Amino acid sequence: MEIKTGEICCFLGTSGSGKSTLLNMMAGLEKPTRGIIKINEKNVEKMNEKQLAKFRQKHIGFVFQSYNLLAALTALENVSMPLTFRGMKKKQREKISAEILDAVGLKKYITHKPNQMSGGQQQRVGIARAFVSKPPIIFADEPTGNLDSKTTKEVMNLMLEIAKENNQTIIIVTHDRSIAEYADKVVYILDGNIEKIEEK
């Protein structure tokens, strides 16, 4: 199976079908027992932990269902974390992080901590953090699983808008068919196998 640059690809399947495991293997968080995973001509499954950490830092952003924000940090600090790992100076990373928080509609919330924000706002912080360093690939694991339908639409449109602007590839894992409608390609997963692939 191949996913092209700039494509929005959705892995659709019920709970336990193997879609999150597949996503973890693509991101190098789990090793496949067989097969090859290539990203930018590099074999992900052959990298060691140090190489994987560097590779993820440079090429991959993550959006999680449970937001995975650090409770002690403000929205600005959470978003600027990937830039900290890149060794960027504080003033510059705060400027870039503030700009993307503004872009996701959270200008007034930059000093708020996660417990001071709604689920939708926390997920916007999560999106800002995933996109802040402009990685070529975004992995989103059930990104709207904890959100109501109105917020789900807002979050999906936001992710797609930023990705299209920067020609980023988004790989979404979901059990929600309405999310699949946003994708260019839908891969149906059943019991660890690809059942069918639909291209729009």
Side-chain angles (χ1 to χ4, degrees):
M1 197 199 76
E2 192 178 330
I3 299 167
K4 299 180 186 81
T5 302
E7 202 166 40
I8 312 299
C9 180
C10 175
F11 289 101
L12 184 67
T14 55
S15 184
S17 60
K19 56 192 190 303
S20 288
T21 304
L22 180 58
L23 190 80
N24 288 343
M25 288 192 292
M26 284 180 178
L29 299 169
E30 289 181 44
K31 295 273 185 204
T33 47
R34 62 177 187 268
I36 294 166
I37 296 162
K38 267 191 176 181
I39 297 177
N40 292 355
E41 299 305 310
K42 290 186 174 70
N43 282 47
V44 175
E45 80 284 353
K46 287 184 178 168
M47 293 182 197
N48 62 35
E49 277 311 310
K50 202 174 178 181
Q51 289 168 326
L52 278 167
K54 261 189 169 168
F55 184 78
R56 281 194 288 264
Q57 201 178 327
K58 199 173 174 186
H59 296 280
I60 294 167
F62 289 94
V63 180
F64 304 94
Q65 177 179 350
S66 52
Y67 323 133
N68 283 20
L69 302 176
L70 295 172
L73 303 184
T74 63
L76 187 71
E77 290 163 341
N78 266 293
V79 171
S80 64
M81 193 152 281
L83 303 176
T84 308
F85 294 135
R86 287 193 173 190
M88 194 181 282
K89 289 192 168 72
K90 191 180 180 192
K91 200 174 177 182
Q92 193 186 357
R93 67 177 185 253
E94 284 188 349
K95 181 180 180 285
I96 293 167
S97 300
E99 281 168 5
I100 196 159
L101 279 165
D102 187 15
V104 299
L106 292 178
K107 191 177 185 176
K108 294 176 185 169
Y109 294 85
I110 61 170
T111 58
H112 285 56
K113 290 187 176 172
N115 66 358
Q116 298 170 307
M117 291 183 277
S118 68
Q121 287 164 341
Q122 287 183 65
Q123 191 56 299
R124 283 167 182 264
V125 175
I127 289 165
R129 180 185 57 193
F131 282 92
V132 73
S133 57
K134 296 190 176 173
I137 303 162
I138 301 288
F139 287 129
D141 194 356
E142 298 281 6
T144 58
N146 291 332
L147 307 175
D148 60 51
S149 57
K150 181 179 177 285
T151 312
T152 290
K153 276 183 184 167
E154 288 171 3
V155 160
M156 287 305 300
N157 287 329
L158 188 61
M159 284 202 325
L160 267 55
E161 193 183 317
I162 302 170
K164 289 265 189 271
E165 213 172 283
N166 299 307
N167 197 30
Q168 288 160 299
T169 308
I170 299 188
I171 297 165
I172 303 168
V173 157
T174 187
H175 65 275
D176 184 348
R177 286 180 179 271
S178 69
I179 298 300
E181 288 169 22
Y182 291 88
D184 305 313
K185 179 186 280 175
V186 182
V187 181
Y188 293 84
I189 305 276
L190 182 69
D191 299 332
N193 293 307
I194 293 175
E195 216 184 357
K196 64 171 175 171
I197 298 175
E198 266 178 17
E199 304 219 26
K200 295 178 185 178

